[in-house]
């Protein structure tokens, strides 16, 4: 997800997406540990998306 897409979501939607991406990240890491992924960059991009969402949530929390 791009930062512009993240900014448009509500707090509840961000928390939901964060949970989805964390589950996806765990699944990717497990799959990669068992046998190498065809595209290992997915792991990095998923981790960065999680960080973007978490940062946006923290930013909104501090503004409120």
């Amino acid at each position: 997800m791009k930062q512009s897409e993240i900014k448009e979501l509500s707090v509840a939607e961000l928390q939901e997406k964060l949970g989805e991406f964390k589950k996806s990240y765990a699944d990717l890491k497990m799959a990669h540990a068992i046998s190498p992924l065809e595209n290992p960059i997915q792991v990095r991009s998923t981790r960065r998306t999680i960080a973007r969402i978490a940062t946006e949530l923290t930013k909104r929390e501090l503004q409120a």
Side-chain angles (χ1 to χ4, degrees), residues 18-31:
L18 185 62
E20 289 174 14
F21 276 106
K22 281 186 176 184
K23 184 183 182 323
S24 171
Y25 179 66
D27 292 343
L28 280 172
K29 278 187 65 169
M30 185 64 71

Side-chain angles (χ1 to χ4, degrees), residues 2 17 21 23 27 32 40 42 45-46 49 51-52 58 62:
K2 293 185 177 179
K17 289 281 187 189
F21 276 106
K23 184 183 182 323
D27 292 343
H32 189 60
Q42 287 177 311
S45 66
T46 304
T49 301
R52 283 188 191 103
T58 303
L62 292 174

